[in-house]
Amino acid sequence: MELLVLFNALATRLLFVLHSLLGVWRVTEVKKDPRYWLLALLHLLLCLETALTLKLKQGRGYKWFSPAIFLYLICIVPLLWLLELHPENQFCLNESQQPVQNISEREESNHTKDATDSHILETALYLVSTLSTVCEKVWTLSLHQTFLLLLIIGRWLLPIGREITRDQLSQLLLMFVGTAADILEFASETLEIEDVRKNHALVYVILAVWTWSMLQFPLDLAVQHVGCNSSVSSKRVFSLLLSRHSADLWNIGISLFIQDGPFLVVRLILMGHFKVITQMLVFFTAKNILSVMLQLYRLIVLSLDFHASLRYQSNSRKGGVSCCPCDPNHISLPANSCDTDGRECATIPLEDSLPVTAEC
């Protein structure tokens, strides 16, 4: 099993490095400046992280945070910025005849070369030349798509730490699939608008919001609950709420402050101030409004249910909070019992501000 963990850790980081190097090569080709190869030095951070993870964690992941994913973002996001800001990315030239010409040249040259090695070399050179003729806009979109796919696949392949279960990992990956689709749609749909492309300030704002939304991928808080702390006071309502519903609150925070909220603000600015109105822009604006409203509704429901359980426990003098105050207390449970595994624990009144000392 340890050998498999080592293989997954190294193979995933190798995929990150290769994809980032492809982006560096594309930036160098577009800018016609070999000095952009210096961006490859960012991969030294990923190599350092790999060495430290193998030494300190035996290749396994960390709690709540993935340094490999974060460093991969550091390597690839600046490259996508450079490609998006390049003037040639705004339009595609008609290069449909160029690949046909290359194919005919390749067929003629194949008749003159019979050696296998030369044929393989020629095929490789032809592939590189064909990729170089692909429209710059298509290249950038392809890098966006493969970037998001590698984030999901890489998070799946990376060895998980002992703090996260496979069930939680599967939930996290399913969330990432939907999140990646929304982020890709936001970047591609807004930057394809001609009026937006002509406004450099808008392009910078959209790319900044896109970069901000990517910061949720290295974090695992959306599926992990804060550990029960026996020193939590029974009157610290916010601490109790955070302990009981940490994953739900984190999901709401991601939607409101990292993804749907910023996306909604940008789209409303495009429609209201810059008068950029398209059918897809209106649809996704309505989608963001609905998502924000549902998340706020979810937050209100959690808060009301939480305070209702506290009022029930406060009115029931024979009861109290559970052994661990951060464990959910269901109203349907008997008020005089907080034992779930055969052990007894002391009843703690809600108004008592002393720390909970009962063992769970």
Side-chain angles (χ1 to χ4, degrees):
M1 182 60 69
E2 294 299 329
L3 183 61
L4 181 60
V5 169
L6 177 63
F7 174 78
N8 288 339
L10 294 177
T12 305
R13 289 168 173 84
L14 180 61
L15 287 176
F16 292 163
V17 171
L18 292 178
H19 186 259
S20 299
L21 287 177
L22 180 63
V24 174
W25 168 77
R26 192 58 201 167
V27 170
T28 306
E29 286 290 319
V30 168
K31 298 292 186 179
K32 307 299 181 183
D33 190 348
R35 288 179 297 179
Y36 282 98
W37 279 109
L38 294 175
L39 292 171
L41 295 177
L42 292 174
H43 296 96
L44 295 177
L45 297 175
L46 193 57
C47 296
L48 178 61
E49 182 273 336
T50 303
L52 292 177
T53 301
L54 293 177
K55 182 178 180 180
L56 301 178
K57 302 286 290 185
Q58 289 75 45
R60 296 192 175 274
Y62 296 82
K63 184 179 182 180
W64 295 339
F65 183 73
S66 176
I69 298 291
F70 180 73
L71 293 176
Y72 176 47
L73 294 178
I74 292 179
C75 293
I76 193 66
V77 167
L79 305 176
L80 293 174
W81 269 70
L82 292 172
L83 292 175
E84 289 288 358
L85 296 174
H86 191 63
E88 292 183 4
N89 193 51
Q90 300 181 14
F91 56 88
C92 284
L93 297 176
N94 186 14
E95 297 175 338
S96 58
Q97 297 179 353
Q98 182 67 26
V100 176
Q101 181 181 359
N102 289 337
I103 292 175
S104 61
E105 293 176 356
R106 176 173 174 264
E107 290 177 353
E108 294 176 358
S109 61
N110 282 341
H111 293 291
T112 61
K113 296 183 179 180
D114 297 330
T116 305
D117 294 339
S118 61
H119 176 70
I120 295 176
L121 179 60
E122 180 192 357
T123 303
L125 293 176
Y126 164 74
L127 179 61
V128 173
S129 62
T130 303
L131 290 176
S132 300
T133 60
V134 175
C135 174
E136 180 58 35
K137 190 175 181 180
V138 176
W139 255 108
T140 305
L141 180 59
S142 300
L143 285 175
H144 271 285
Q145 294 170 341
T146 53
F147 166 48
L148 292 171
L149 289 176
L150 268 182
L151 281 176
I152 300 172
I153 296 174
R155 190 63 188 89
W156 191 6
L157 294 178
L158 281 174
I160 60 176
R162 294 178 174 85
E163 297 84 4
I164 182 173
T165 64
R166 295 192 179 276
D167 177 64
Q168 292 173 334
L169 178 62
S170 63
Q171 297 178 33
L172 187 67
L173 293 174
L174 289 174
M175 293 171 52
F176 280 176
V177 170
T179 299
D182 289 341
I183 292 175
L184 177 63
E185 178 279 325
F186 171 77
S188 60
E189 176 260 333
T190 52
L191 292 176
E192 283 181 356
I193 302 175
E194 184 178 356
D195 294 337
V196 173
R197 276 291 182 182
K198 294 178 180 178
N199 192 321
H200 296 290
L202 270 181
V203 174
Y204 280 107
V205 170
I206 291 173
L207 290 177
V209 173
W210 169 78
T211 304
W212 171 249
S213 67
M214 301 303 299
L215 296 179
Q216 59 186 293
F217 285 97
L219 301 174
D220 300 337
L221 289 174
V223 294
Q224 295 194 54
H225 292 274
V226 177
C228 179
N229 187 359
S230 60
S231 62
V232 176
S233 174
S234 59
K235 275 194 172 181
R236 297 177 183 176
V237 177
F238 179 76
S239 299
L240 292 177
L241 178 63
L242 181 62
S243 299
R244 294 183 186 180
H245 305 289
S246 58
D248 293 323
L249 293 176
W250 176 248
N251 284 324
I252 294 173
I254 287 178
S255 178
L256 295 180
F257 302 108
I258 298 183
Q259 187 169 332
D260 289 301
F263 289 1
L264 175 61
V265 172
V266 171
R267 285 173 171 137
L268 289 178
I269 292 175
L270 289 177
M271 297 173 59
H273 185 269
F274 294 96
K275 307 302 180 183
V276 178
I277 299 178
T278 62
Q279 182 178 2
M280 296 303 295
L281 185 60
V282 172
F283 171 77
F284 284 108
T285 302
K287 171 185 173 296
N288 290 140
I289 293 175
L290 185 60
S291 298
V292 170
M293 292 177 61
L294 290 175
Q295 293 294 348
L296 292 176
Y297 174 73
R298 174 65 175 165
L299 180 62
I300 294 173
V301 169
L302 289 177
S303 179
L304 291 177
D305 289 346
F306 174 76
H307 285 88
S309 65
L310 291 185
R311 287 194 299 269
Y312 173 81
Q313 293 166 4
S314 178
N315 294 331
S316 179
R317 294 300 180 180
K318 294 183 179 181
V321 298
S322 62
C323 298
C324 284
C326 48
D327 288 339
N329 290 278
H330 302 287
I331 297 177
S332 59
L333 294 178
N336 58 355
S337 174
C338 65
D339 189 343
T340 59
D341 58 353
R343 294 174 298 171
E344 295 182 356
C345 62
T347 299
I348 303 172
L350 185 65
E351 63 272 10
D352 189 2
S353 62
L354 294 177
V356 178
T357 59
E359 181 183 359
C360 297

